[in-house]
Amino acid sequence: MSEFKAVKISDRVYWVGVVDWALRNFHGYTTHRGSTYNAYIILDEKITLVDTVKAPFKEQFIARISDVVDPKKISYIISNHAEMDHSGLLPYFVEYVKPEKIFASPMGVKALKEQFHWDENVVAVKDGERISLGNTHITFYETRMLHWPDSMFSYLEEEKILFSQDAFGMHLATGTLFADEVDKCVLEYEAATYYANILLPYSNLVLNLIKKLKNLGISPSIIATDHGPIYRKPEDIEWILSSYESWAEQKPQKRAVIIYDTMWGSTAKMAHAIADGIAREGVEVNVLHIEGAHRSDVATEVLLSGALIVGSPTINNNIFPSVADVLTYLKGLRPKNLIGAVFGSYGWSGESIKHLREWLESMGVEVIGEVGSKYVPDTEILNRCRDLGKEVALKLKELCKT
Ligand code: FEO
């Protein structure tokens, strides 16, 4: 008997992925709750594997497949996404199983060949192409840049299962496999964190994709992602699709995030006074001292906020390196529709304010105010910080009305 059990998700489909409880870093994104690399077996005349897993999990993966079928009976392998967390085991597995065919998008074929310096004959499937597995059929849909240029969805028509690779996923290791078995607050936070850190730069493509699924009349009964829990209840499917739509639209929100670092506590005092000014207007605010908040947690807060307020002391005529790290990361994620403000203390030259303003403006943030403080902020400066917070809050309220 196999030590690792496959999990049945429909009449013909089993989950055969792995749980990576220890993962804490996914290309710069801190994964506090680990992750899963999901893969699926479809039992039909052509036994089909959808995706593989990260290479170090070979034994667990093969044991889990063996729980339902002899891996050597696999006829087809579908590679929905060439990134290593899903394709890492592919070259080994192909050698081991010797499948009849491997399918990938045209960009996927190229990526697999280039990534693995591989001569394997991978069949390129076009957007909308349909194949028969015997009694069931799979249609492929290209989803470029969600998450890589090669990405595609596979839709198992008869069982209405959408294999969505990275899209709609989250980095969340759990002992249960289905979204309806996971605490909703955890689910909501991890789905937002994943969107902010993986998909935010491609929000326009996300909106197009959701439109495309609607136009094609695809209404899945199950969304089987490559990371985190599987959605099988209509309300969970509706929730994740509508969340993606709203995160992609990035409409103004009545919520602000203040991020800062501090040298001797003066910039921290300013951050707290700005937060006070925002809160007094009844607008939700979160204050993150960068020392205790990873850049990927900041990204989640930015996704959920309408205002980004950044503070840094001046050091060597510039901003703190810790603040530059977060801003570099956020800029790459291309958040939209934000207002902002900047602040910071200094001893003599005070260039951090100018640099912070330039940073935010280069990200397309509408900067509505700034406060600088020479050395420790006195009552007057702290009142100006409160006023700046008030101004941000009033602007957010106005934007949220329209
Ligand atoms: Fe889960 Fe883009 O890899």
Side-chain angles (χ1 to χ4, degrees), residues 26-27 36-37 81 83-86 146-148 151 165-166 171 194 198 226-227:
F26 189 89
H27 53 54
T36 66
Y37 313 113
H81 180 21
E83 191 163 6
M84 289 286 200
D85 47 336
H86 312 296
L146 305 174
H147 162 225
W148 274 10
S151 291
Q165 42 91 34
D166 280 349
H171 287 309
Y194 184 91
I198 302 282
D226 270 2
H227 295 292

PDB file of all heavy atoms in Angstrom, residues 26-27 36-37 81 83-86 146-148 151 165-166 171 194 198 226-227, ligand 1:
ATOM      1  N   PHE A  26       9.333  31.986  -2.399  1.00  0.00           N
ATOM      2  CA  PHE A  26       9.025  31.642  -3.786  1.00  0.00           C
ATOM      3  C   PHE A  26       9.436  32.829  -4.650  1.00  0.00           C
ATOM      4  O   PHE A  26       8.762  33.828  -4.705  1.00  0.00           O
ATOM      5  CB  PHE A  26       7.532  31.348  -3.949  1.00  0.00           C
ATOM      6  CG  PHE A  26       7.190  30.788  -5.289  1.00  0.00           C
ATOM      7  CD1 PHE A  26       7.218  29.420  -5.512  1.00  0.00           C
ATOM      8  CD2 PHE A  26       6.875  31.623  -6.350  1.00  0.00           C
ATOM      9  CE1 PHE A  26       6.924  28.888  -6.762  1.00  0.00           C
ATOM     10  CE2 PHE A  26       6.581  31.109  -7.604  1.00  0.00           C
ATOM     11  CZ  PHE A  26       6.606  29.737  -7.808  1.00  0.00           C
ATOM     12  N   HIS A  27      10.532  32.726  -5.297  1.00  0.00           N
ATOM     13  CA  HIS A  27      11.222  33.816  -6.000  1.00  0.00           C
ATOM     14  C   HIS A  27      10.963  35.214  -5.412  1.00  0.00           C
ATOM     15  O   HIS A  27      10.477  36.128  -6.062  1.00  0.00           O
ATOM     16  CB  HIS A  27      11.122  33.755  -7.523  1.00  0.00           C
ATOM     17  CG  HIS A  27       9.758  33.646  -8.158  1.00  0.00           C
ATOM     18  ND1 HIS A  27       8.734  34.504  -7.912  1.00  0.00           N
ATOM     19  CD2 HIS A  27       9.304  32.794  -9.096  1.00  0.00           C
ATOM     20  CE1 HIS A  27       7.704  34.174  -8.663  1.00  0.00           C
ATOM     21  NE2 HIS A  27       8.016  33.137  -9.375  1.00  0.00           N
ATOM     22  N   THR A  36       1.572  24.066  -2.219  1.00  0.00           N
ATOM     23  CA  THR A  36       1.413  22.730  -2.801  1.00  0.00           C
ATOM     24  C   THR A  36       1.759  22.838  -4.280  1.00  0.00           C
ATOM     25  O   THR A  36       1.668  23.928  -4.878  1.00  0.00           O
ATOM     26  CB  THR A  36      -0.040  22.208  -2.681  1.00  0.00           C
ATOM     27  OG1 THR A  36      -0.887  23.025  -3.492  1.00  0.00           O
ATOM     28  CG2 THR A  36      -0.538  22.222  -1.250  1.00  0.00           C
ATOM     29  N   TYR A  37       2.180  21.756  -4.853  1.00  0.00           N
ATOM     30  CA  TYR A  37       2.362  21.669  -6.310  1.00  0.00           C
ATOM     31  C   TYR A  37       1.358  20.616  -6.730  1.00  0.00           C
ATOM     32  O   TYR A  37       1.542  19.422  -6.472  1.00  0.00           O
ATOM     33  CB  TYR A  37       3.799  21.267  -6.667  1.00  0.00           C
ATOM     34  CG  TYR A  37       4.796  22.089  -5.871  1.00  0.00           C
ATOM     35  CD1 TYR A  37       5.598  21.502  -4.908  1.00  0.00           C
ATOM     36  CD2 TYR A  37       4.863  23.475  -6.034  1.00  0.00           C
ATOM     37  CE1 TYR A  37       6.456  22.259  -4.133  1.00  0.00           C
ATOM     38  CE2 TYR A  37       5.714  24.241  -5.249  1.00  0.00           C
ATOM     39  CZ  TYR A  37       6.503  23.629  -4.306  1.00  0.00           C
ATOM     40  OH  TYR A  37       7.331  24.385  -3.508  1.00  0.00           O
ATOM     41  N   HIS A  81       2.219  24.568 -17.776  1.00  0.00           N
ATOM     42  CA  HIS A  81       3.094  25.704 -17.414  1.00  0.00           C
ATOM     43  C   HIS A  81       4.518  25.170 -17.225  1.00  0.00           C
ATOM     44  O   HIS A  81       4.720  24.194 -16.505  1.00  0.00           O
ATOM     45  CB  HIS A  81       2.547  26.352 -16.148  1.00  0.00           C
ATOM     46  CG  HIS A  81       3.317  27.526 -15.652  1.00  0.00           C
ATOM     47  ND1 HIS A  81       4.165  28.273 -16.437  1.00  0.00           N
ATOM     48  CD2 HIS A  81       3.368  28.114 -14.410  1.00  0.00           C
ATOM     49  CE1 HIS A  81       4.700  29.242 -15.716  1.00  0.00           C
ATOM     50  NE2 HIS A  81       4.240  29.159 -14.486  1.00  0.00           N
ATOM     51  N   GLU A  83       7.153  26.582 -15.749  1.00  0.00           N
ATOM     52  CA  GLU A  83       8.000  26.974 -14.619  1.00  0.00           C
ATOM     53  C   GLU A  83       8.355  25.718 -13.802  1.00  0.00           C
ATOM     54  O   GLU A  83       7.577  24.774 -13.693  1.00  0.00           O
ATOM     55  CB  GLU A  83       7.302  28.035 -13.742  1.00  0.00           C
ATOM     56  CG  GLU A  83       8.282  28.635 -12.748  1.00  0.00           C
ATOM     57  CD  GLU A  83       7.835  29.959 -12.104  1.00  0.00           C
ATOM     58  OE1 GLU A  83       6.705  30.397 -12.325  1.00  0.00           O
ATOM     59  OE2 GLU A  83       8.673  30.542 -11.380  1.00  0.00           O
ATOM     60  N   MET A  84       9.551  25.767 -13.193  1.00  0.00           N
ATOM     61  CA  MET A  84      10.150  24.575 -12.578  1.00  0.00           C
ATOM     62  C   MET A  84       9.311  23.923 -11.478  1.00  0.00           C
ATOM     63  O   MET A  84       9.479  22.745 -11.189  1.00  0.00           O
ATOM     64  CB  MET A  84      11.516  24.925 -11.979  1.00  0.00           C
ATOM     65  CG  MET A  84      12.577  25.187 -13.016  1.00  0.00           C
ATOM     66  SD  MET A  84      13.093  23.651 -13.772  1.00  0.00           S
ATOM     67  CE  MET A  84      14.668  24.148 -14.443  1.00  0.00           C
ATOM     68  N   ASP A  85       8.455  24.722 -10.813  1.00  0.00           N
ATOM     69  CA  ASP A  85       7.649  24.102  -9.749  1.00  0.00           C
ATOM     70  C   ASP A  85       6.614  23.135 -10.318  1.00  0.00           C
ATOM     71  O   ASP A  85       6.059  22.317  -9.579  1.00  0.00           O
ATOM     72  CB  ASP A  85       6.990  25.158  -8.841  1.00  0.00           C
ATOM     73  CG  ASP A  85       6.311  26.283  -9.590  1.00  0.00           C
ATOM     74  OD1 ASP A  85       6.685  26.546 -10.747  1.00  0.00           O
ATOM     75  OD2 ASP A  85       5.407  26.912  -9.027  1.00  0.00           O
ATOM     76  N   HIS A  86       6.364  23.203 -11.640  1.00  0.00           N
ATOM     77  CA  HIS A  86       5.423  22.273 -12.277  1.00  0.00           C
ATOM     78  C   HIS A  86       6.083  21.370 -13.312  1.00  0.00           C
ATOM     79  O   HIS A  86       5.567  20.303 -13.618  1.00  0.00           O
ATOM     80  CB  HIS A  86       4.281  23.060 -12.928  1.00  0.00           C
ATOM     81  CG  HIS A  86       3.718  24.090 -12.011  1.00  0.00           C
ATOM     82  ND1 HIS A  86       3.085  23.756 -10.833  1.00  0.00           N
ATOM     83  CD2 HIS A  86       3.751  25.449 -12.040  1.00  0.00           C
ATOM     84  CE1 HIS A  86       2.745  24.866 -10.192  1.00  0.00           C
ATOM     85  NE2 HIS A  86       3.149  25.904 -10.898  1.00  0.00           N
ATOM     86  N   LEU A 146       0.067  34.504 -17.733  1.00  0.00           N
ATOM     87  CA  LEU A 146      -0.621  34.149 -16.481  1.00  0.00           C
ATOM     88  C   LEU A 146      -0.204  32.733 -16.098  1.00  0.00           C
ATOM     89  O   LEU A 146      -0.975  31.814 -16.248  1.00  0.00           O
ATOM     90  CB  LEU A 146      -2.143  34.239 -16.636  1.00  0.00           C
ATOM     91  CG  LEU A 146      -2.647  35.598 -17.136  1.00  0.00           C
ATOM     92  CD1 LEU A 146      -4.129  35.575 -17.417  1.00  0.00           C
ATOM     93  CD2 LEU A 146      -2.336  36.688 -16.125  1.00  0.00           C
ATOM     94  N   HIS A 147       1.002  32.461 -15.826  1.00  0.00           N
ATOM     95  CA  HIS A 147       1.948  33.378 -15.235  1.00  0.00           C
ATOM     96  C   HIS A 147       3.167  33.657 -16.097  1.00  0.00           C
ATOM     97  O   HIS A 147       3.902  34.623 -15.870  1.00  0.00           O
ATOM     98  CB  HIS A 147       2.338  32.777 -13.868  1.00  0.00           C
ATOM     99  CG  HIS A 147       3.552  33.241 -13.203  1.00  0.00           C
ATOM    100  ND1 HIS A 147       4.468  32.408 -12.627  1.00  0.00           N
ATOM    101  CD2 HIS A 147       3.995  34.505 -12.988  1.00  0.00           C
ATOM    102  CE1 HIS A 147       5.434  33.120 -12.075  1.00  0.00           C
ATOM    103  NE2 HIS A 147       5.176  34.379 -12.265  1.00  0.00           N
ATOM    104  N   TRP A 148       3.427  32.812 -17.079  1.00  0.00           N
ATOM    105  CA  TRP A 148       4.560  32.979 -17.987  1.00  0.00           C
ATOM    106  C   TRP A 148       4.025  32.980 -19.429  1.00  0.00           C
ATOM    107  O   TRP A 148       2.860  32.638 -19.647  1.00  0.00           O
ATOM    108  CB  TRP A 148       5.561  31.813 -17.802  1.00  0.00           C
ATOM    109  CG  TRP A 148       6.594  31.989 -16.719  1.00  0.00           C
ATOM    110  CD1 TRP A 148       6.647  32.962 -15.760  1.00  0.00           C
ATOM    111  CD2 TRP A 148       7.738  31.130 -16.493  1.00  0.00           C
ATOM    112  NE1 TRP A 148       7.751  32.769 -14.960  1.00  0.00           N
ATOM    113  CE2 TRP A 148       8.435  31.659 -15.383  1.00  0.00           C
ATOM    114  CE3 TRP A 148       8.235  29.985 -17.111  1.00  0.00           C
ATOM    115  CZ2 TRP A 148       9.605  31.072 -14.887  1.00  0.00           C
ATOM    116  CZ3 TRP A 148       9.387  29.400 -16.617  1.00  0.00           C
ATOM    117  CH2 TRP A 148      10.069  29.944 -15.525  1.00  0.00           C
ATOM    118  N   SER A 151       2.001  29.805 -20.485  1.00  0.00           N
ATOM    119  CA  SER A 151       0.907  29.264 -19.666  1.00  0.00           C
ATOM    120  C   SER A 151      -0.354  28.965 -20.481  1.00  0.00           C
ATOM    121  O   SER A 151      -0.719  29.705 -21.390  1.00  0.00           O
ATOM    122  CB  SER A 151       0.548  30.255 -18.563  1.00  0.00           C
ATOM    123  OG  SER A 151       1.594  30.334 -17.634  1.00  0.00           O
ATOM    124  N   GLN A 165      -3.597  25.848 -13.874  1.00  0.00           N
ATOM    125  CA  GLN A 165      -2.188  26.044 -13.459  1.00  0.00           C
ATOM    126  C   GLN A 165      -2.052  27.169 -12.407  1.00  0.00           C
ATOM    127  O   GLN A 165      -2.748  27.133 -11.413  1.00  0.00           O
ATOM    128  CB  GLN A 165      -1.217  26.098 -14.640  1.00  0.00           C
ATOM    129  CG  GLN A 165      -1.619  26.882 -15.876  1.00  0.00           C
ATOM    130  CD  GLN A 165      -1.175  28.316 -15.863  1.00  0.00           C
ATOM    131  OE1 GLN A 165      -0.127  28.658 -15.346  1.00  0.00           O
ATOM    132  NE2 GLN A 165      -1.967  29.172 -16.469  1.00  0.00           N
ATOM    133  N   ASP A 166      -1.203  28.155 -12.583  1.00  0.00           N
ATOM    134  CA  ASP A 166      -0.990  29.136 -11.512  1.00  0.00           C
ATOM    135  C   ASP A 166      -2.241  29.988 -11.205  1.00  0.00           C
ATOM    136  O   ASP A 166      -2.437  30.411 -10.050  1.00  0.00           O
ATOM    137  CB  ASP A 166       0.122  30.122 -11.897  1.00  0.00           C
ATOM    138  CG  ASP A 166       1.515  29.551 -11.669  1.00  0.00           C
ATOM    139  OD1 ASP A 166       1.633  28.496 -11.022  1.00  0.00           O
ATOM    140  OD2 ASP A 166       2.490  30.169 -12.135  1.00  0.00           O
ATOM    141  N   HIS A 171      -0.333  30.202  -2.404  1.00  0.00           N
ATOM    142  CA  HIS A 171       0.694  29.425  -1.710  1.00  0.00           C
ATOM    143  C   HIS A 171       0.182  29.128  -0.312  1.00  0.00           C
ATOM    144  O   HIS A 171       0.243  29.953   0.595  1.00  0.00           O
ATOM    145  CB  HIS A 171       2.023  30.187  -1.688  1.00  0.00           C
ATOM    146  CG  HIS A 171       2.691  30.201  -3.021  1.00  0.00           C
ATOM    147  ND1 HIS A 171       2.912  29.056  -3.761  1.00  0.00           N
ATOM    148  CD2 HIS A 171       3.193  31.219  -3.768  1.00  0.00           C
ATOM    149  CE1 HIS A 171       3.511  29.356  -4.892  1.00  0.00           C
ATOM    150  NE2 HIS A 171       3.686  30.667  -4.932  1.00  0.00           N
ATOM    151  N   TYR A 194      -1.221  36.043  -3.088  1.00  0.00           N
ATOM    152  CA  TYR A 194      -0.750  35.389  -4.313  1.00  0.00           C
ATOM    153  C   TYR A 194      -1.029  36.280  -5.537  1.00  0.00           C
ATOM    154  O   TYR A 194      -0.160  36.485  -6.386  1.00  0.00           O
ATOM    155  CB  TYR A 194      -1.471  34.049  -4.441  1.00  0.00           C
ATOM    156  CG  TYR A 194      -1.046  33.194  -5.593  1.00  0.00           C
ATOM    157  CD1 TYR A 194      -0.023  32.260  -5.449  1.00  0.00           C
ATOM    158  CD2 TYR A 194      -1.686  33.274  -6.824  1.00  0.00           C
ATOM    159  CE1 TYR A 194       0.352  31.448  -6.510  1.00  0.00           C
ATOM    160  CE2 TYR A 194      -1.320  32.474  -7.879  1.00  0.00           C
ATOM    161  CZ  TYR A 194      -0.299  31.558  -7.716  1.00  0.00           C
ATOM    162  OH  TYR A 194       0.063  30.763  -8.770  1.00  0.00           O
ATOM    163  N   ILE A 198       2.047  37.636  -7.692  1.00  0.00           N
ATOM    164  CA  ILE A 198       2.284  36.849  -8.914  1.00  0.00           C
ATOM    165  C   ILE A 198       1.571  37.459 -10.119  1.00  0.00           C
ATOM    166  O   ILE A 198       2.122  37.523 -11.216  1.00  0.00           O
ATOM    167  CB  ILE A 198       1.801  35.382  -8.717  1.00  0.00           C
ATOM    168  CG1 ILE A 198       2.521  34.725  -7.527  1.00  0.00           C
ATOM    169  CG2 ILE A 198       1.975  34.556  -9.988  1.00  0.00           C
ATOM    170  CD1 ILE A 198       3.924  34.240  -7.752  1.00  0.00           C
ATOM    171  N   ASP A 226      -2.830  24.820  -9.724  1.00  0.00           N
ATOM    172  CA  ASP A 226      -1.537  24.160  -9.478  1.00  0.00           C
ATOM    173  C   ASP A 226      -0.970  24.480  -8.098  1.00  0.00           C
ATOM    174  O   ASP A 226       0.068  23.943  -7.726  1.00  0.00           O
ATOM    175  CB  ASP A 226      -0.514  24.549 -10.559  1.00  0.00           C
ATOM    176  CG  ASP A 226      -0.552  23.583 -11.737  1.00  0.00           C
ATOM    177  OD1 ASP A 226      -1.379  22.656 -11.728  1.00  0.00           O
ATOM    178  OD2 ASP A 226       0.262  23.754 -12.667  1.00  0.00           O
ATOM    179  N   HIS A 227      -1.602  25.411  -7.364  1.00  0.00           N
ATOM    180  CA  HIS A 227      -1.137  25.722  -5.999  1.00  0.00           C
ATOM    181  C   HIS A 227      -2.339  25.900  -5.087  1.00  0.00           C
ATOM    182  O   HIS A 227      -3.275  26.640  -5.432  1.00  0.00           O
ATOM    183  CB  HIS A 227      -0.350  27.038  -5.952  1.00  0.00           C
ATOM    184  CG  HIS A 227       0.939  27.030  -6.704  1.00  0.00           C
ATOM    185  ND1 HIS A 227       2.030  26.276  -6.321  1.00  0.00           N
ATOM    186  CD2 HIS A 227       1.327  27.698  -7.818  1.00  0.00           C
ATOM    187  CE1 HIS A 227       3.029  26.487  -7.159  1.00  0.00           C
ATOM    188  NE2 HIS A 227       2.629  27.343  -8.090  1.00  0.00           N
TER     189      HIS A 227
HETATM  190 FE1  FEO B   1       3.634  27.876 -10.010  1.00  0.00          FE
HETATM  191 FE2  FEO B   1       4.579  30.132 -12.426  1.00  0.00          FE
HETATM  192  O1  FEO B   1       4.726  28.656 -11.308  1.00  0.00           O
END
